[in-house]
Amino acid sequence: MPQPSLDTSPKVSDEIRKTTCYMCACRCGINVHMKDGQVAYIEGNKDHPVNQGVLCAKGSAGIMQHLSPARLRAPMKRVGPRGSGEFEEISWKEALETAVSWLKPIRDTDPKKLAFFTGRDQSQSFTSFWAQGFGTPNYAAHGGFCSVNMAAAGIYTMGGAFWEFGQPDWDRTKLFMLFGVAEDHDSNPIKMGIGKLKKRGARVIGVNPIRTGYNAVADDWVGITPGTDGLFILSLVHCLMKAGRIDLDYLARLTDAPCLVNGDEGSDEFGLILRDEAGKALVVDRRTGKPAAFDGKGVQPDLSGSWRHAGFTHRPVLHHMAERYLTDEYAPETIAEKVGIDAKRIRAIAADIARVAFDDAIELDREWTDFRGETHKKMIGRPVAFHAMRGISAHSNGFQTCRALHLLQIILGSVEVPGGFRFKPPYPKPATAHPKPHANAQAGKPLDGPHLGFVHGPDDLLINDDNTAKRIDKAFSWENPMSAHGMMHMVISNAHAGDPYKIDTLMLYMANMAWNSSMNTSGVMQMLTDKDENGDYVIPNIIYSDAYSSEMVAYADLILPDTTYLERHDCISLLDRPICEAGAAADAIRWPVVEPDRDVRGFQSVLCELGGMLELPGFTNEDGGQKYADYADYIQNHERKPGIGPLAGWRGDGEDHGRGAPNPDQIEKYKENGSFWISHIPEEAEFYKPWNMAYQDWAVKTGIFDAPTPYIFTLWCEPLRKFQLAAEGKHRRQPPEHLKARYAETMDPLPIWYAPFSDADERFTVHALTQRPMAMYHSWGSQNAWLRQIHGRNPLYVPTKLWEANGFAEGDWARVTSPHGEITVPVMHMAALNENTIWTWNAIGKRKGAWALDEDAPEATKGFLLNHIIHELLPSKGDGLRWANSDPITGQAAWFDLRVKIEKVSAPKESLPAHPAQKSPVPKAPETVKQKVGL
């Protein structure tokens, strides 16, 4: 019988356009297949360094994001009450003139009256450059409520951190341990990496209260009690130090473990590192037994050598570590009940780590020369690698917990070695190589320096003479002195309270602050609509840019509609958040593979126009004209300093890389190369980057450094000790009296653990968490017709112990109460969960009327947010003060400190609280979203 003729490889497209995905922050390379000028299909780019052709559900569904019915159509101004969603479309001319009419008087008189904060965009070096030119100190991106603890703790300790700053040595690691990793972060590279580990038989240990995603495929799952990761980590440190299973040679040569700590209790520098006249940290040199600069040629730092001088003994950092961590305070038997892990299991994990690190060590026959001029014949690898993210960051003890994890890596000698954790260019960079924050706003002038940075003591704080904060979010103040990413979650609350002052205009980009990006969501919506005694809005003007009809749109006065990621230029820059790998520097672009069919503009291009209209420095030519026609013009022609611009590839005449003059054909060169550029690190420079002079020289040539900047890791965090000294009265600046005890308790220069602040309320005993699903990226995915089929609603997952105690059955609902409020939501049983923890997927729940969803969509009726019962402030202590629900050091939002009660209730009609539907400025979606491409 004749068989039918089937075309097993039908023509998918008539053209392929290569760009960079934007469906999460992985920034994978994609091939966009075009048919008759329209997007027909998206696949991974197999030549791309990030994903090598792999593409996840989010990336594949990008076509539906691009076609979303929720896309905004045109600029709009509010015509009804704020929050009503009543708008009328206006021209771009009117929109820009309106924005300038609000912004110019502010800039001319008091630039700090503008608060400009951006969400999960990937152009922060550009938006901060614009804000600096405007002159406002009130700028930051979303890192302050996401993972600043992880980033800042890593940079202060070792000059880099996980994810965008570094990655495991996937090809050599034999034991991989991950803590609190959200499944949408770095998802394709982690999935590919874990696949390599599984293929080689390497072991994976997942530490997370919830067993999903990466933890579900781990060989061992450690269902830890939320907020106790730091205690568990320091117990591992205790076991390793007690067994003598630490890398003493690594600690002596490459860290501050041998550096001498001032032991004179009467000194104003008690507890700081001793230094010579040139400011170099001092160690005892084994050759002489006397103090010497740590980086002197031929110096052999002595871990055991103390220095007795003028009646005082100055001991090395390692002695203080032994004194701290060898006590029974950190013994597994002491901490087991608190962390929810059996003491025997803690000891077994420590033993496995030690065995792999030292008994299975790697040796590479690669010669390298360190910063002291010593040449080493081999590269020694400790094949234990760690990875962590927001799960351990988003607690009020998160900064010290993240430092504890870096301490664990360092004592093993597993950072920047074969088989361990490896930095991605432009990291490693010590904290001292980064700028300090600035906040001196002057009428009509640019800010005196970058908004964000790394403070090194009280002198660097952004405070007035009366100790009040200079920034609206109170970043870099006594309340949160080392808040390197700002404190976005406090902006609206502080502006509403007029604390430390009132603002005039709130300008937000891609920040859904009226819904899933805010704690105290219902309260924030009230703050955005509150009026003063004169009947005026407490926050007078709100400008918002988004590509979609999100919940925040209804609360804006002026909407500047953004494009989708397939319709815009973007720059994934070495100046910002590049796509580098451990073995290469790399950056990338996006470009308009299709032109918008709506009256929308890329927000960065809009800033170029506003910058010209406002005559901002950096955005205006000498003749007063607009300097950059659009963002593409900026990407190609802007120089942050001579020879260094947003993109490193094909500079000058197209033959220069890293450094070189602007190239008017640069974007075309990127497009020809799949929209990315990559430069591989020479083999002799691949490891030991902070100390390897071959790497330092390569980094200078590539434009990452201006000069070699080798440094040692800092286990002893001097900035923290300086703040303690200020609290002890040994500095010209001193914190307010009510903060002094907190400085003593939380700002220890060695990593410590203290209970999350929520533990103080014993009425609420159940931990409540959110976790982002692999198939979604924050709120964006729930409008996507394909991704909604994976997560169309979110139940509250309940562990067996609590399920049985409450008599829950399938289909039941629960009331969940926190010190702040309550929600009523559907529940579902989950066995693979810490026994005293409940959780749900983040940002699936939607407000009715938003995102072009039907009002009876499951996201709006059964979906919900835990945000309603989390508050940006801690419960009142009765002292009249506003205590932020944040890490006391960095100000990171303590999302995961939430403690609740849970009880079974009768099922309501829909999840509560149920806010009234918003009026949407876009039409409701058709019942079936479809598009016929080609014949």
Side-chain angles (χ1 to χ4, degrees):
M1 179 179 294
Q3 297 296 312
S5 177
L6 299 176
D7 184 358
T8 57
S9 298
K11 184 181 178 183
V12 175
S13 58
D14 45 42
E15 183 185 0
I16 296 174
R17 298 177 178 176
K18 297 177 184 290
T19 187
T20 306
C21 188
Y22 201 13
M23 292 298 287
C24 76
C26 282
R27 297 150 301 167
C28 297
I30 54 174
N31 297 336
V32 181
H33 289 258
M34 308 295 296
K35 212 169 195 179
D36 296 340
Q38 297 183 72
V39 179
Y41 174 62
I42 297 174
E43 66 179 354
N45 177 358
K46 65 181 177 60
D47 299 318
H48 198 274
V50 171
N51 59 317
Q52 298 162 40
V54 173
L55 200 61
C56 68
K58 298 189 296 293
S60 300
I63 187 171
M64 300 307 291
Q65 203 86 348
H66 168 64
L67 298 173
S68 169
R71 290 174 298 167
L72 297 173
R73 268 64 170 172
M76 297 181 293
K77 68 178 180 182
R78 177 177 57 80
V79 294
R82 193 182 286 172
S84 67
E86 296 175 6
F87 292 90
E88 73 175 18
E89 292 188 357
I90 57 176
S91 68
W92 272 104
K93 182 177 184 295
E94 182 179 351
L96 294 173
E97 288 176 348
T98 300
V100 169
S101 73
W102 296 346
L103 295 173
K104 191 174 190 313
I106 297 173
R107 184 167 193 272
D108 290 345
T109 57
D110 191 357
K112 71 175 183 293
K113 295 291 187 179
L114 169 65
F116 177 35
F117 285 74
T118 68
R120 294 168 185 87
D121 68 294
Q122 295 164 15
S123 58
Q124 290 160 22
S125 71
F126 172 77
T127 50
S128 65
F129 181 67
W130 189 93
Q132 187 175 336
F134 186 92
T136 178
N138 295 317
Y139 165 85
H142 84 291
F145 66 59
C146 185
S147 290
V148 65
N149 276 333
M150 183 58 62
I155 288 173
Y156 275 111
T157 307
M158 59 182 190
F162 301 112
W163 190 34
E164 289 170 314
F165 299 171
Q167 65 188 158
D169 186 352
W170 297 113
D171 294 319
R172 299 180 182 88
T173 294
K174 298 178 183 178
L175 175 60
F176 176 50
M177 199 168 181
L178 68 165
F179 291 77
V181 179
E183 294 158 23
D184 68 327
H185 271 94
D186 203 21
S187 60
N188 282 339
I190 288 184
K191 285 180 287 188
M192 294 158 60
I194 290 176
K196 287 183 176 182
L197 299 183
K198 292 285 187 179
K199 186 176 182 179
R200 292 193 289 105
R203 186 176 170 199
V204 179
I205 301 175
V207 182
N208 197 312
I210 305 159
R211 189 168 198 182
T212 60
Y214 309 130
N215 295 282
V217 300
D219 299 287
D220 290 290
W221 170 60
V222 181
I224 197 166
T225 300
T228 66
D229 303 81
L231 195 54
F232 169 56
I233 292 165
L234 292 176
S235 188
L236 296 176
V237 170
H238 168 92
C239 294
L240 291 165
M241 291 188 71
K242 202 161 190 179
R245 301 285 263 175
I246 61 177
D247 193 332
L248 295 175
D249 181 63
Y250 184 99
L251 288 168
R253 291 188 298 109
L254 308 176
T255 80
D256 69 350
C259 292
L260 296 168
V261 178
N262 188 322
D264 178 0
E265 294 185 12
S267 169
D268 286 352
E269 296 184 348
F270 173 56
L272 300 182
I273 301 295
L274 293 180
R275 299 179 183 277
D276 64 13
E277 292 182 356
K280 299 287 186 70
L282 293 175
V283 300
V284 172
D285 189 345
R286 280 206 310 261
R287 300 172 304 173
T288 65
K290 296 180 180 180
F294 78 94
D295 62 348
K297 186 173 179 62
V299 167
Q300 298 176 16
D302 188 352
L303 288 172
S304 63
S306 298
W307 182 44
R308 181 78 178 171
H309 180 68
F312 299 100
T313 300
H314 308 292
R315 299 180 298 151
V317 170
L318 186 64
H319 289 208
H320 291 269
M321 292 168 55
E323 187 174 77
R324 168 71 51 80
Y325 303 123
L326 290 179
T327 66
D328 287 342
E329 178 184 356
Y330 294 106
E333 290 74 17
T334 305
I335 63 107
E337 183 177 356
K338 190 164 286 185
V339 301
I341 307 169
D342 182 76
K344 289 183 179 178
R345 193 174 187 204
I346 296 172
R347 292 190 180 279
I349 292 171
D352 284 344
I353 291 172
R355 176 184 55 78
V356 175
F358 298 103
D359 298 346
D360 293 345
I362 297 170
E363 289 189 3
L364 298 184
D365 289 322
R366 294 191 195 176
E367 188 174 282
W368 68 284
T369 300
D370 68 23
F371 61 96
R372 294 187 183 95
E374 183 178 353
T375 297
H376 306 267
K377 297 297 183 183
K378 295 181 181 294
M379 292 182 171
I380 307 300
R382 308 291 180 196
V384 177
F386 298 87
H387 185 73
M389 270 306 295
R390 189 182 183 209
I392 68 170
S393 295
H395 293 281
S396 49
N397 58 19
F399 181 74
Q400 291 285 24
T401 291
C402 295
R403 288 189 64 226
L405 183 53
H406 299 315
L407 169 72
L408 174 60
Q409 295 188 97
I410 290 168
I411 66 171
L412 290 168
S414 68
V415 178
E416 199 44 53
V417 299
F421 170 82
R422 304 174 63 192
F423 292 115
K424 299 178 182 180
Y427 296 91
K429 291 191 290 186
T432 50
H434 292 263
K436 295 179 179 180
H438 297 75
N440 290 328
Q442 299 181 64
K445 294 183 178 181
L447 200 66
D448 57 332
H451 305 80
L452 306 176
F454 290 81
V455 304
H456 298 281
D459 289 329
D460 300 331
L461 292 180
L462 303 184
I463 54 176
N464 298 303
D465 291 341
D466 61 356
N467 270 347
T468 57
K470 289 188 174 183
R471 288 176 52 111
I472 189 65
D473 58 358
K474 299 187 181 180
F476 310 107
S477 70
W478 287 116
E479 294 184 29
N480 305 98
M482 295 163 67
S483 41
H485 289 179
M487 297 175 61
M488 188 170 181
H489 58 293
M490 294 303 301
V491 173
I492 292 171
S493 175
N494 289 355
H496 179 266
D499 178 20
Y501 47 78
K502 290 188 176 295
I503 64 168
D504 182 272
T505 298
L506 175 65
M507 189 170 175
L508 298 173
Y509 174 48
M510 283 179 60
N512 198 17
M513 303 305 288
W515 199 245
N516 62 286
S517 290
S518 279
M519 297 169 155
N520 182 24
T521 302
S522 300
V524 167
M525 290 188 281
Q526 183 66 44
M527 293 177 203
L528 292 172
T529 54
D530 268 355
K531 295 184 177 180
D532 60 21
E533 62 275 7
N534 299 319
D536 299 320
Y537 286 114
V538 174
I539 301 175
N541 300 307
I542 299 177
I543 302 172
Y544 185 50
S545 179
D546 202 326
Y548 306 102
S549 180
S550 67
E551 287 86 355
M552 183 62 209
V553 165
Y555 292 89
D557 305 308
L558 177 66
I559 299 294
L560 307 176
D562 195 16
T563 63
T564 72
Y565 72 103
L566 296 179
E567 302 167 325
R568 63 184 301 140
H569 281 100
D570 264 327
C571 175
I572 301 96
S573 169
L574 283 170
L575 302 178
D576 204 335
R577 304 170 67 184
I579 59 165
C580 300
E581 296 295 299
D587 58 18
I589 64 164
R590 295 186 189 92
W591 57 282
V593 298
V594 289
E595 293 297 325
D597 58 358
R598 310 163 316 288
D599 192 14
V600 298
R601 298 179 184 178
F603 180 65
Q604 290 80 6
S605 291
V606 171
L607 287 183
C608 289
E609 293 184 80
L610 287 174
M613 295 171 73
L614 292 165
E615 299 182 352
L616 301 186
F619 288 86
T620 312
N621 294 317
E622 291 183 3
D623 63 3
Q626 183 176 321
K627 186 170 187 176
Y628 302 112
D630 54 22
Y631 192 41
D633 188 6
Y634 169 91
I635 290 171
Q636 290 191 139
N637 293 307
H638 173 71
E639 289 184 283
R640 193 54 55 96
K641 53 188 174 183
I644 302 295
L647 293 172
W650 297 285
R651 301 190 64 78
D653 61 1
E655 300 298 322
D656 297 330
H657 298 278
R659 296 178 183 271
N663 175 9
D665 297 320
Q666 190 179 34
I667 286 177
E668 289 303 314
K669 290 289 187 180
Y670 272 80
K671 289 164 64 175
E672 291 169 11
N673 197 58
S675 290
F676 69 92
W677 164 85
I678 188 166
S679 175
H680 293 280
I681 298 172
E683 187 178 82
E684 68 274 15
E686 280 190 328
F687 296 100
Y688 297 100
K689 294 188 185 83
W691 321 287
N692 186 333
M693 295 312 296
Y695 175 79
Q696 295 290 320
D697 292 340
W698 176 86
V700 171
K701 179 182 177 182
T702 309
I704 294 171
F705 302 148
D706 288 335
T709 56
Y711 63 96
I712 53 175
F713 289 164
T714 51
L715 302 173
W716 188 269
C717 186
E718 282 197 284
L720 289 178
R721 179 59 193 148
K722 288 179 181 178
F723 285 113
Q724 284 189 328
L725 285 169
E728 294 165 11
K730 296 182 176 181
H731 192 277
R732 67 177 184 86
R733 280 180 160 179
Q734 295 179 27
E737 197 65 33
H738 69 275
L739 289 175
K740 289 182 177 179
R742 190 166 80 169
Y743 274 46
E745 293 165 3
T746 64
M747 297 193 185
D748 198 288
L750 284 177
I752 58 171
W753 183 85
Y754 53 87
F757 297 155
S758 62
D759 285 6
D761 193 333
E762 297 179 354
R763 298 171 299 161
F764 301 90
T765 59
V766 176
H767 299 269
L769 303 177
T770 58
Q771 183 165 290
R772 291 194 293 274
M774 198 173 286
M776 297 283 188
Y777 187 61
H778 299 282
S779 57
W780 303 343
S782 290
Q783 64 168 317
N784 189 297
W786 291 354
L787 298 180
R788 290 183 66 208
Q789 298 175 61
I790 302 174
H791 295 285
R793 51 172 289 194
N794 60 308
L796 182 71
Y797 292 99
V798 179
T800 302
K801 179 181 175 180
L802 294 176
W803 185 268
E804 294 176 348
N806 285 275
F808 286 128
E810 192 70 26
D812 279 347
W813 288 60
R815 179 185 297 117
V816 182
T817 309
S818 77
H820 173 58
E822 66 180 45
I823 57 175
T824 303
V825 297
V827 294
M828 185 175 289
H829 179 221
M830 180 175 175
L833 181 57
N834 176 273
E835 66 175 15
N836 203 41
T837 300
I838 59 177
W839 76 280
T840 191
W841 295 118
N842 181 40
I844 302 300
K846 293 286 177 285
R847 182 166 175 180
K848 293 178 181 178
W851 301 99
L853 297 175
D854 288 341
E855 290 186 12
D856 61 353
E859 290 90 345
T861 56
K862 292 186 172 62
F864 63 93
L865 298 178
L866 281 184
N867 306 52
H868 293 297
I869 57 173
I870 310 173
H871 205 286
E872 74 275 1
L873 300 176
L874 291 170
S876 172
K877 297 183 179 184
D879 55 11
L881 300 171
R882 302 172 76 244
W883 294 83
N885 183 18
S886 307
D887 186 292
I889 301 170
T890 65
Q892 173 164 347
W895 294 94
F896 296 159
D897 279 1
L898 180 62
R899 300 282 287 273
V900 300
K901 299 175 184 175
I902 182 171
E903 56 186 318
K904 181 178 176 180
V905 295
S906 299
K909 291 183 179 180
E910 57 189 8
S911 57
L912 301 173
H915 292 278
Q918 294 178 320
K919 185 176 181 180
S920 177
V922 300
K924 285 188 176 180
E927 192 160 323
T928 302
V929 178
K930 61 182 179 179
Q931 174 174 292
K932 180 67 176 175
V933 179
L935 299 177

